[in-house]
Amino acid sequence: MKILKVLVSDALSKKGLEILKKGKKLKVDVKTGLSPQELKKVIKDYQGIIIRSKTKLTADIIDSAKLLKVIGRAGVGLDNVDVAQATKRGIIVMNAPGGNSISTAEHTMSMLLALSRNIPQANASLKRHEWDRKKFMGVELYGKTLGIIGLGRIGSEVAKRALSFGMEMIAYDPYCSIEKAKELRIKLGGLKELFTQSDYITVHTPLIKETRHLIGEKEIKLMKKGVRIINCARGGIVDEKSLLKALKTGRVAGTAMDVFEKEPPLNSPLLKIDNVISTPHLGASTEEAQVNVAIDIAKQVADALLGRGIRNAVNMPTIPKEIFKVIQPYISLAEKMGSLQMQLIEGRPQRLKVTYSGEVINFDLAPITIALIKGLLEPVLPGRVNYVNAPLIAKERGIEIVEIKSSASLDFSNLISLEIETDKRKSSISGTLFGKNDPRIVVIDGYYVDAVPSGYMIITFNEDRPGIIGRIGTVLGENNINIAGMTFGRRKKAGRAITVINIDSPVSDDLLKKIKKFKWIKEIKLLKL
Ligand code: NAD
Ligand code: MLT
């Protein structure tokens, strides 16, 4: 049994470590506090790595991780991982979303309240033995408008809590459905509307190109005078320079920050300002959240490495376990179809059209199409392509992929049809599942067949004449090659036909040439699936 190694390079709750250590298939090493150089050296021995926010997985560290299959982030944010490079290298990147949402939402609410009632400042003042009740006059949340930017897991939890405080709410999230907003009893609006109407603004988006400095000088100018801004998401969503200016002029009455453009923000002028309250990235720092994310990521990484399914991967479609069980036979069929097609076709693939019909259209087709692309590329890029990087490699090679769901009625309960266009010719195959798990190729280039896509296969295009099957059978028999199955298809009597033979072992080129000598055989190929 091959033991797979997992490196845990940031502090992880012991509940997560226990999961990884359960069973004997994974060996877990905890090495925290490694410098980038040290990490670059040690990472090459590991198939999996689990990190939090401290470890930075840059492109060059990822490149030196020759065995790495899975990166697991105990938490949400992946700004410390070069996901694009990992994808290129075919490494699955997964996070553990959800486990710390409640903690972060509660932290946001604490910030909202502390900011409104000057709690940190009042506490510090009292500890200096001052008794100043006037200075710390606060404001109520009740009846105020809270603008929420990003209505995902944390934004939604904040909304639920703010509602119970009697706050009015407006949210901006271009990817949130109206139904979800309705359910949360929150109004979805545009950013401008949110900026002009809100008394408090809290951000809960990822830090991406579109959200970097989403709140800057121009945006602050649109806001109500005396607005309060909270950032418990990622430093950089709010432009700290513009915020500082606005805090000094009083345009922004106060701000609460758990995250900073540079962490730790020790030299940040914001920390010197009275109406700024701050915490050192504590949103997810609760006992519960740390246990939750550690358990989630440990289970996910173990499952991914041990082939038990992939969840919460950010660079490939996630398939819940129950669904995976049902679509796995389609994934396997599609992969075989891609491989078969690639080995049959000549020229460079330029366009791929995959048409799904029958029962299969009820499933998420993305993983099935990815499997098909992987199967297609594998014969030409053995060992380089996997479910993570297959779509990217296809894109880099300029292969256009079209996915179609067809409602056409069929002779089969489900059908996957693949048409491929290369710089030389077009070709097509169709495959189906007999029963729940029995893959068959049923059409090749318009010829109906009934072939099991498995192991070694000989495919010939020939004239439909007597003696072909006998001839092939004799040559194979004489060379001790066992035939496991055979099917043939033709469009008309004595016309062009196809013969598909499953054999138990490979055949040499010489043997193929010998078979091809038979004058009715026009083309012959050995395929390995
Ligand atoms: P999520 O993916 O559930 O939600 C993010 C939301 O942002 C999504 O609904 C998405 O549609 C929306 N969004 C994306 N681009 C947007 C844009 N341009 N404008 C408006 N909305 C946009 O993520 P989440 O789990 O709710 O996490 C939110 C943020 O909180 C992330 O940045 C995460 O890293 C951070 N976080 C911080 C802490 C902490 O310790 N302070 C803890 C957990 C998460
Ligand atoms: C997250 O993204 O999950 C949080 O920022 C917490 C953390 O960094 O662990």
Side-chain angles (χ1 to χ4, degrees), residues 52-53 73-79 96 100 104 233-234 259 281 283-285 290 293:
R52 285 184 55 205
S53 53
R73 157 75 156 105
V76 183
L78 280 159
D79 21 23
N100 59 26
T104 311
R234 277 292 176 268
V259 287
H281 203 142
S285 294
Q290 285 317 306
V293 293

PDB file of all heavy atoms in Angstrom, residues 52-53 73-79 96 100 104 233-234 259 281 283-285 290 293, ligand 2:
ATOM      1  N   ARG A  52      -3.187  27.515   6.580  1.00  0.00           N
ATOM      2  CA  ARG A  52      -4.176  28.538   6.908  1.00  0.00           C
ATOM      3  C   ARG A  52      -3.756  29.789   6.146  1.00  0.00           C
ATOM      4  O   ARG A  52      -3.508  29.692   4.957  1.00  0.00           O
ATOM      5  CB  ARG A  52      -4.264  28.731   8.416  1.00  0.00           C
ATOM      6  CG  ARG A  52      -5.027  27.568   9.056  1.00  0.00           C
ATOM      7  CD  ARG A  52      -5.216  27.752  10.529  1.00  0.00           C
ATOM      8  NE  ARG A  52      -5.861  29.008  10.854  1.00  0.00           N
ATOM      9  CZ  ARG A  52      -5.728  29.638  12.023  1.00  0.00           C
ATOM     10  NH1 ARG A  52      -4.972  29.104  12.977  1.00  0.00           N
ATOM     11  NH2 ARG A  52      -6.341  30.776  12.249  1.00  0.00           N
ATOM     12  N   SER A  53      -3.621  30.933   6.824  1.00  0.00           N
ATOM     13  CA  SER A  53      -3.307  32.116   6.007  1.00  0.00           C
ATOM     14  C   SER A  53      -1.819  32.458   6.013  1.00  0.00           C
ATOM     15  O   SER A  53      -1.353  33.255   5.215  1.00  0.00           O
ATOM     16  CB  SER A  53      -4.120  33.317   6.485  1.00  0.00           C
ATOM     17  OG  SER A  53      -3.926  33.482   7.865  1.00  0.00           O
ATOM     18  N   ARG A  73      -6.946  24.607   2.199  1.00  0.00           N
ATOM     19  CA  ARG A  73      -6.871  25.822   3.004  1.00  0.00           C
ATOM     20  C   ARG A  73      -7.927  25.720   4.105  1.00  0.00           C
ATOM     21  O   ARG A  73      -9.131  25.632   3.798  1.00  0.00           O
ATOM     22  CB  ARG A  73      -7.106  27.032   2.084  1.00  0.00           C
ATOM     23  CG  ARG A  73      -7.592  28.294   2.789  1.00  0.00           C
ATOM     24  CD  ARG A  73      -6.475  28.975   3.560  1.00  0.00           C
ATOM     25  NE  ARG A  73      -6.751  30.383   3.744  1.00  0.00           N
ATOM     26  CZ  ARG A  73      -7.155  30.937   4.885  1.00  0.00           C
ATOM     27  NH1 ARG A  73      -7.331  30.184   5.958  1.00  0.00           N
ATOM     28  NH2 ARG A  73      -7.372  32.232   4.948  1.00  0.00           N
ATOM     29  N   ALA A  74      -7.461  25.684   5.362  1.00  0.00           N
ATOM     30  CA  ALA A  74      -8.397  25.653   6.489  1.00  0.00           C
ATOM     31  C   ALA A  74      -8.921  27.068   6.685  1.00  0.00           C
ATOM     32  O   ALA A  74      -8.343  27.859   7.413  1.00  0.00           O
ATOM     33  CB  ALA A  74      -7.695  25.159   7.750  1.00  0.00           C
ATOM     34  N   GLY A  75      -9.982  27.393   5.990  1.00  0.00           N
ATOM     35  CA  GLY A  75     -10.534  28.744   5.998  1.00  0.00           C
ATOM     36  C   GLY A  75     -11.052  29.052   4.610  1.00  0.00           C
ATOM     37  O   GLY A  75     -11.163  28.148   3.770  1.00  0.00           O
ATOM     38  N   VAL A  76     -11.342  30.326   4.393  1.00  0.00           N
ATOM     39  CA  VAL A  76     -11.965  30.707   3.117  1.00  0.00           C
ATOM     40  C   VAL A  76     -10.952  31.282   2.133  1.00  0.00           C
ATOM     41  O   VAL A  76     -10.738  30.765   1.034  1.00  0.00           O
ATOM     42  CB  VAL A  76     -13.068  31.782   3.351  1.00  0.00           C
ATOM     43  CG1 VAL A  76     -13.768  32.111   2.046  1.00  0.00           C
ATOM     44  CG2 VAL A  76     -14.048  31.322   4.401  1.00  0.00           C
ATOM     45  N   GLY A  77     -10.306  32.371   2.550  1.00  0.00           N
ATOM     46  CA  GLY A  77      -9.494  33.185   1.635  1.00  0.00           C
ATOM     47  C   GLY A  77      -8.338  32.400   1.024  1.00  0.00           C
ATOM     48  O   GLY A  77      -7.624  31.670   1.706  1.00  0.00           O
ATOM     49  N   LEU A  78      -8.167  32.590  -0.278  1.00  0.00           N
ATOM     50  CA  LEU A  78      -7.087  31.874  -0.968  1.00  0.00           C
ATOM     51  C   LEU A  78      -6.075  32.857  -1.551  1.00  0.00           C
ATOM     52  O   LEU A  78      -5.362  32.530  -2.498  1.00  0.00           O
ATOM     53  CB  LEU A  78      -7.682  30.987  -2.062  1.00  0.00           C
ATOM     54  CG  LEU A  78      -8.258  29.677  -1.503  1.00  0.00           C
ATOM     55  CD1 LEU A  78      -9.254  29.060  -2.442  1.00  0.00           C
ATOM     56  CD2 LEU A  78      -7.139  28.688  -1.174  1.00  0.00           C
ATOM     57  N   ASP A  79      -6.055  34.082  -0.982  1.00  0.00           N
ATOM     58  CA  ASP A  79      -5.135  35.070  -1.543  1.00  0.00           C
ATOM     59  C   ASP A  79      -3.674  34.732  -1.247  1.00  0.00           C
ATOM     60  O   ASP A  79      -2.766  35.351  -1.796  1.00  0.00           O
ATOM     61  CB  ASP A  79      -5.477  36.499  -1.103  1.00  0.00           C
ATOM     62  CG  ASP A  79      -6.297  36.544   0.145  1.00  0.00           C
ATOM     63  OD1 ASP A  79      -6.254  35.562   0.932  1.00  0.00           O
ATOM     64  OD2 ASP A  79      -6.980  37.530   0.365  1.00  0.00           O
ATOM     65  N   ALA A  96     -12.144  25.590   2.943  1.00  0.00           N
ATOM     66  CA  ALA A  96     -13.172  25.066   3.847  1.00  0.00           C
ATOM     67  C   ALA A  96     -14.138  26.206   4.152  1.00  0.00           C
ATOM     68  O   ALA A  96     -14.073  26.816   5.212  1.00  0.00           O
ATOM     69  CB  ALA A  96     -12.524  24.544   5.123  1.00  0.00           C
ATOM     70  N   ASN A 100     -16.303  28.890   9.216  1.00  0.00           N
ATOM     71  CA  ASN A 100     -16.043  30.072  10.046  1.00  0.00           C
ATOM     72  C   ASN A 100     -16.972  31.250   9.717  1.00  0.00           C
ATOM     73  O   ASN A 100     -16.747  32.367  10.176  1.00  0.00           O
ATOM     74  CB  ASN A 100     -14.564  30.492   9.973  1.00  0.00           C
ATOM     75  CG  ASN A 100     -14.115  30.825   8.563  1.00  0.00           C
ATOM     76  OD1 ASN A 100     -14.929  31.205   7.731  1.00  0.00           O
ATOM     77  ND2 ASN A 100     -12.829  30.703   8.305  1.00  0.00           N
ATOM     78  N   THR A 104     -17.297  34.785  11.845  1.00  0.00           N
ATOM     79  CA  THR A 104     -16.932  36.054  11.203  1.00  0.00           C
ATOM     80  C   THR A 104     -18.122  37.009  11.183  1.00  0.00           C
ATOM     81  O   THR A 104     -17.962  38.220  11.375  1.00  0.00           O
ATOM     82  CB  THR A 104     -16.394  35.788   9.779  1.00  0.00           C
ATOM     83  OG1 THR A 104     -15.412  34.765   9.874  1.00  0.00           O
ATOM     84  CG2 THR A 104     -15.768  37.015   9.181  1.00  0.00           C
ATOM     85  N   ALA A 233     -13.539  41.415   5.917  1.00  0.00           N
ATOM     86  CA  ALA A 233     -13.370  40.470   4.796  1.00  0.00           C
ATOM     87  C   ALA A 233     -11.901  40.369   4.411  1.00  0.00           C
ATOM     88  O   ALA A 233     -11.194  39.449   4.859  1.00  0.00           O
ATOM     89  CB  ALA A 233     -14.217  40.906   3.616  1.00  0.00           C
ATOM     90  N   ARG A 234     -11.434  41.298   3.633  1.00  0.00           N
ATOM     91  CA  ARG A 234     -10.028  41.279   3.222  1.00  0.00           C
ATOM     92  C   ARG A 234      -9.502  42.701   3.117  1.00  0.00           C
ATOM     93  O   ARG A 234     -10.187  43.595   2.596  1.00  0.00           O
ATOM     94  CB  ARG A 234      -9.871  40.609   1.840  1.00  0.00           C
ATOM     95  CG  ARG A 234      -9.823  39.081   1.909  1.00  0.00           C
ATOM     96  CD  ARG A 234      -8.536  38.608   2.587  1.00  0.00           C
ATOM     97  NE  ARG A 234      -8.471  37.181   2.760  1.00  0.00           N
ATOM     98  CZ  ARG A 234      -8.877  36.488   3.825  1.00  0.00           C
ATOM     99  NH1 ARG A 234      -9.453  37.105   4.844  1.00  0.00           N
ATOM    100  NH2 ARG A 234      -8.704  35.183   3.889  1.00  0.00           N
ATOM    101  N   VAL A 259      -9.141  43.460   9.044  1.00  0.00           N
ATOM    102  CA  VAL A 259      -8.176  43.052   8.013  1.00  0.00           C
ATOM    103  C   VAL A 259      -7.556  44.293   7.386  1.00  0.00           C
ATOM    104  O   VAL A 259      -8.172  45.359   7.362  1.00  0.00           O
ATOM    105  CB  VAL A 259      -8.898  42.214   6.932  1.00  0.00           C
ATOM    106  CG1 VAL A 259      -9.245  40.830   7.441  1.00  0.00           C
ATOM    107  CG2 VAL A 259     -10.153  42.924   6.443  1.00  0.00           C
ATOM    108  N   HIS A 281      -7.075  40.494  12.560  1.00  0.00           N
ATOM    109  CA  HIS A 281      -7.610  39.417  11.719  1.00  0.00           C
ATOM    110  C   HIS A 281      -8.164  38.273  12.591  1.00  0.00           C
ATOM    111  O   HIS A 281      -7.683  37.141  12.547  1.00  0.00           O
ATOM    112  CB  HIS A 281      -6.517  38.893  10.770  1.00  0.00           C
ATOM    113  CG  HIS A 281      -7.068  38.218   9.552  1.00  0.00           C
ATOM    114  ND1 HIS A 281      -6.512  38.341   8.312  1.00  0.00           N
ATOM    115  CD2 HIS A 281      -8.146  37.404   9.382  1.00  0.00           C
ATOM    116  CE1 HIS A 281      -7.203  37.639   7.428  1.00  0.00           C
ATOM    117  NE2 HIS A 281      -8.203  37.065   8.055  1.00  0.00           N
ATOM    118  N   GLY A 283     -11.566  37.495  12.748  1.00  0.00           N
ATOM    119  CA  GLY A 283     -12.911  37.081  12.339  1.00  0.00           C
ATOM    120  C   GLY A 283     -13.198  35.613  12.591  1.00  0.00           C
ATOM    121  O   GLY A 283     -14.235  35.240  13.122  1.00  0.00           O
ATOM    122  N   ALA A 284     -12.241  34.779  12.211  1.00  0.00           N
ATOM    123  CA  ALA A 284     -12.480  33.328  12.304  1.00  0.00           C
ATOM    124  C   ALA A 284     -11.837  32.734  13.556  1.00  0.00           C
ATOM    125  O   ALA A 284     -11.810  31.521  13.709  1.00  0.00           O
ATOM    126  CB  ALA A 284     -11.907  32.651  11.067  1.00  0.00           C
ATOM    127  N   SER A 285     -11.338  33.620  14.414  1.00  0.00           N
ATOM    128  CA  SER A 285     -10.606  33.097  15.577  1.00  0.00           C
ATOM    129  C   SER A 285     -11.539  32.796  16.729  1.00  0.00           C
ATOM    130  O   SER A 285     -11.567  33.517  17.735  1.00  0.00           O
ATOM    131  CB  SER A 285      -9.523  34.094  15.996  1.00  0.00           C
ATOM    132  OG  SER A 285      -8.580  34.163  14.976  1.00  0.00           O
ATOM    133  N   GLN A 290     -12.325  27.314  14.371  1.00  0.00           N
ATOM    134  CA  GLN A 290     -11.055  26.639  14.065  1.00  0.00           C
ATOM    135  C   GLN A 290     -11.223  25.123  14.041  1.00  0.00           C
ATOM    136  O   GLN A 290     -10.612  24.437  13.228  1.00  0.00           O
ATOM    137  CB  GLN A 290      -9.955  27.073  15.047  1.00  0.00           C
ATOM    138  CG  GLN A 290      -9.433  28.476  14.749  1.00  0.00           C
ATOM    139  CD  GLN A 290      -9.223  28.724  13.255  1.00  0.00           C
ATOM    140  OE1 GLN A 290      -8.542  27.973  12.581  1.00  0.00           O
ATOM    141  NE2 GLN A 290      -9.814  29.783  12.721  1.00  0.00           N
ATOM    142  N   VAL A 293     -13.221  24.373  10.652  1.00  0.00           N
ATOM    143  CA  VAL A 293     -12.465  24.402   9.382  1.00  0.00           C
ATOM    144  C   VAL A 293     -11.398  23.311   9.361  1.00  0.00           C
ATOM    145  O   VAL A 293     -11.102  22.751   8.302  1.00  0.00           O
ATOM    146  CB  VAL A 293     -11.842  25.794   9.073  1.00  0.00           C
ATOM    147  CG1 VAL A 293     -12.912  26.819   8.796  1.00  0.00           C
ATOM    148  CG2 VAL A 293     -10.876  26.261  10.143  1.00  0.00           C
TER     149      VAL A 293
HETATM  150  C1  MLT B   2     -10.438  33.033   6.164  1.00  0.00           C
HETATM  151  O1  MLT B   2     -10.258  33.444   5.020  1.00  0.00           O
HETATM  152  O2  MLT B   2     -10.928  31.929   6.407  1.00  0.00           O
HETATM  153  C2  MLT B   2     -10.112  33.933   7.288  1.00  0.00           C
HETATM  154  O3  MLT B   2      -9.462  35.063   6.875  1.00  0.00           O
HETATM  155  C3  MLT B   2      -9.489  33.292   8.476  1.00  0.00           C
HETATM  156  C4  MLT B   2      -8.100  32.788   8.299  1.00  0.00           C
HETATM  157  O4  MLT B   2      -7.298  33.424   7.656  1.00  0.00           O
HETATM  158  O5  MLT B   2      -7.830  31.696   8.787  1.00  0.00           O
END
